[in-house]
PDB file of all heavy atoms in Angstrom:
ATOM      1  N   SER J 532      35.901   8.072  17.733  1.00 96.00           N
ATOM      2  CA  SER J 532      36.101   6.670  17.423  1.00 96.00           C
ATOM      3  C   SER J 532      37.574   6.462  17.090  1.00 96.00           C
ATOM      4  O   SER J 532      38.053   6.904  16.053  1.00 96.00           O
ATOM      5  CB  SER J 532      35.234   6.264  16.234  1.00 96.00           C
ATOM      6  OG  SER J 532      35.594   4.980  15.789  1.00 96.00           O
ATOM      7  N   LEU J 533      38.296   5.816  18.025  1.00 95.00           N
ATOM      8  CA  LEU J 533      39.730   5.590  17.826  1.00 95.00           C
ATOM      9  C   LEU J 533      39.971   4.110  17.510  1.00 95.00           C
ATOM     10  O   LEU J 533      39.029   3.329  17.457  1.00 95.00           O
ATOM     11  CB  LEU J 533      40.500   6.017  19.071  1.00 95.00           C
ATOM     12  CG  LEU J 533      40.307   7.495  19.446  1.00 95.00           C
ATOM     13  CD1 LEU J 533      40.980   7.819  20.779  1.00 95.00           C
ATOM     14  CD2 LEU J 533      40.838   8.405  18.351  1.00 95.00           C
ATOM     15  N   TYR J 534      41.205   3.792  17.318  1.00 95.00           N
ATOM     16  CA  TYR J 534      41.589   2.400  17.017  1.00 95.00           C
ATOM     17  C   TYR J 534      40.980   1.900  15.717  1.00 95.00           C
ATOM     18  O   TYR J 534      40.705   0.721  15.566  1.00 95.00           O
ATOM     19  CB  TYR J 534      41.202   1.456  18.161  1.00 95.00           C
ATOM     20  CG  TYR J 534      41.915   1.773  19.462  1.00 95.00           C
ATOM     21  CD1 TYR J 534      41.312   2.550  20.444  1.00 95.00           C
ATOM     22  CD2 TYR J 534      43.208   1.303  19.693  1.00 95.00           C
ATOM     23  CE1 TYR J 534      41.968   2.862  21.619  1.00 95.00           C
ATOM     24  CE2 TYR J 534      43.869   1.596  20.869  1.00 95.00           C
ATOM     25  CZ  TYR J 534      43.236   2.389  21.834  1.00 95.00           C
ATOM     26  OH  TYR J 534      43.901   2.677  23.001  1.00 95.00           O
ATOM     27  N   ASN J 535      40.740   2.817  14.779  1.00 97.00           N
ATOM     28  CA  ASN J 535      40.289   2.349  13.469  1.00 97.00           C
ATOM     29  C   ASN J 535      41.510   1.938  12.668  1.00 97.00           C
ATOM     30  O   ASN J 535      41.948   2.640  11.760  1.00 97.00           O
ATOM     31  CB  ASN J 535      39.528   3.453  12.732  1.00 97.00           C
ATOM     32  CG  ASN J 535      38.204   3.745  13.397  1.00 97.00           C
ATOM     33  OD1 ASN J 535      37.268   2.952  13.315  1.00 97.00           O
ATOM     34  ND2 ASN J 535      38.124   4.882  14.089  1.00 97.00           N
ATOM     35  N   GLU J 536      42.079   0.816  13.060  1.00 96.00           N
ATOM     36  CA  GLU J 536      43.183   0.308  12.276  1.00 96.00           C
ATOM     37  C   GLU J 536      43.291  -1.185  12.378  1.00 96.00           C
ATOM     38  O   GLU J 536      42.798  -1.805  13.313  1.00 96.00           O
ATOM     39  CB  GLU J 536      44.496   1.015  12.591  1.00 96.00           C
ATOM     40  CG  GLU J 536      44.985   1.033  13.992  1.00 96.00           C
ATOM     41  CD  GLU J 536      46.322   1.790  14.048  1.00 96.00           C
ATOM     42  OE1 GLU J 536      46.303   3.022  14.006  1.00 96.00           O
ATOM     43  OE2 GLU J 536      47.384   1.135  14.122  1.00 96.00           O
ATOM     44  N   THR J 537      43.886  -1.771  11.375  1.00 92.00           N
ATOM     45  CA  THR J 537      44.062  -3.223  11.326  1.00 92.00           C
ATOM     46  C   THR J 537      45.516  -3.509  11.080  1.00 92.00           C
ATOM     47  O   THR J 537      46.117  -2.953  10.163  1.00 92.00           O
ATOM     48  CB  THR J 537      43.220  -3.817  10.176  1.00 92.00           C
ATOM     49  OG1 THR J 537      41.874  -3.422  10.379  1.00 92.00           O
ATOM     50  CG2 THR J 537      43.291  -5.330  10.169  1.00 92.00           C
ATOM     51  N   ASN J 538      46.067  -4.363  11.920  1.00 89.00           N
ATOM     52  CA  ASN J 538      47.472  -4.748  11.791  1.00 89.00           C
ATOM     53  C   ASN J 538      48.399  -3.538  11.635  1.00 89.00           C
ATOM     54  O   ASN J 538      49.251  -3.495  10.765  1.00 89.00           O
ATOM     55  CB  ASN J 538      47.647  -5.709  10.607  1.00 89.00           C
ATOM     56  CG  ASN J 538      46.847  -6.982  10.831  1.00 89.00           C
ATOM     57  OD1 ASN J 538      46.611  -7.371  11.974  1.00 89.00           O
ATOM     58  ND2 ASN J 538      46.421  -7.609   9.755  1.00 89.00           N
ATOM     59  N   GLY J 539      48.142  -2.530  12.440  1.00 89.00           N
ATOM     60  CA  GLY J 539      49.050  -1.397  12.488  1.00 89.00           C
ATOM     61  C   GLY J 539      48.879  -0.362  11.382  1.00 89.00           C
ATOM     62  O   GLY J 539      49.632   0.595  11.319  1.00 89.00           O
ATOM     63  N   LYS J 540      47.857  -0.558  10.520  1.00 92.00           N
ATOM     64  CA  LYS J 540      47.639   0.441   9.479  1.00 92.00           C
ATOM     65  C   LYS J 540      46.353   1.205   9.742  1.00 92.00           C
ATOM     66  O   LYS J 540      45.264   0.622   9.773  1.00 92.00           O
ATOM     67  CB  LYS J 540      47.585  -0.223   8.097  1.00 92.00           C
ATOM     68  CG  LYS J 540      48.990  -0.613   7.619  1.00 92.00           C
ATOM     69  CD  LYS J 540      48.978  -1.240   6.231  1.00 92.00           C
ATOM     70  CE  LYS J 540      48.786  -0.213   5.131  1.00 92.00           C
ATOM     71  NZ  LYS J 540      48.736  -0.880   3.807  1.00 92.00           N
ATOM     72  N   GLY J 541      46.521   2.498   9.933  1.00 94.00           N
ATOM     73  CA  GLY J 541      45.365   3.318  10.306  1.00 94.00           C
ATOM     74  C   GLY J 541      44.601   3.820   9.096  1.00 94.00           C
ATOM     75  O   GLY J 541      45.102   3.821   7.969  1.00 94.00           O
ATOM     76  N   ILE J 542      43.377   4.262   9.341  1.00 97.00           N
ATOM     77  CA  ILE J 542      42.575   4.906   8.305  1.00 97.00           C
ATOM     78  C   ILE J 542      43.108   6.305   8.042  1.00 97.00           C
ATOM     79  O   ILE J 542      43.902   6.831   8.830  1.00 97.00           O
ATOM     80  CB  ILE J 542      41.098   5.014   8.733  1.00 97.00           C
ATOM     81  CG1 ILE J 542      41.012   5.776  10.072  1.00 97.00           C
ATOM     82  CG2 ILE J 542      40.455   3.646   8.841  1.00 97.00           C
ATOM     83  CD1 ILE J 542      39.639   6.305  10.388  1.00 97.00           C
ATOM     84  N   LEU J 543      42.683   6.913   6.962  1.00 98.00           N
ATOM     85  CA  LEU J 543      42.934   8.344   6.815  1.00 98.00           C
ATOM     86  C   LEU J 543      42.204   9.026   7.959  1.00 98.00           C
ATOM     87  O   LEU J 543      41.072   8.653   8.287  1.00 98.00           O
ATOM     88  CB  LEU J 543      42.346   8.874   5.495  1.00 98.00           C
ATOM     89  CG  LEU J 543      42.960   8.429   4.171  1.00 98.00           C
ATOM     90  CD1 LEU J 543      42.309   9.189   3.020  1.00 98.00           C
ATOM     91  CD2 LEU J 543      44.463   8.647   4.158  1.00 98.00           C
TER      92      LEU J 543
END
Side-chain angles (χ1 to χ4, degrees):
Chain J
S532 170
L533 301 174
Y534 297 96
N535 291 288
E536 56 179 77
T537 304
N538 299 332
K540 284 182 76 182
I542 56 163
L543 292 186

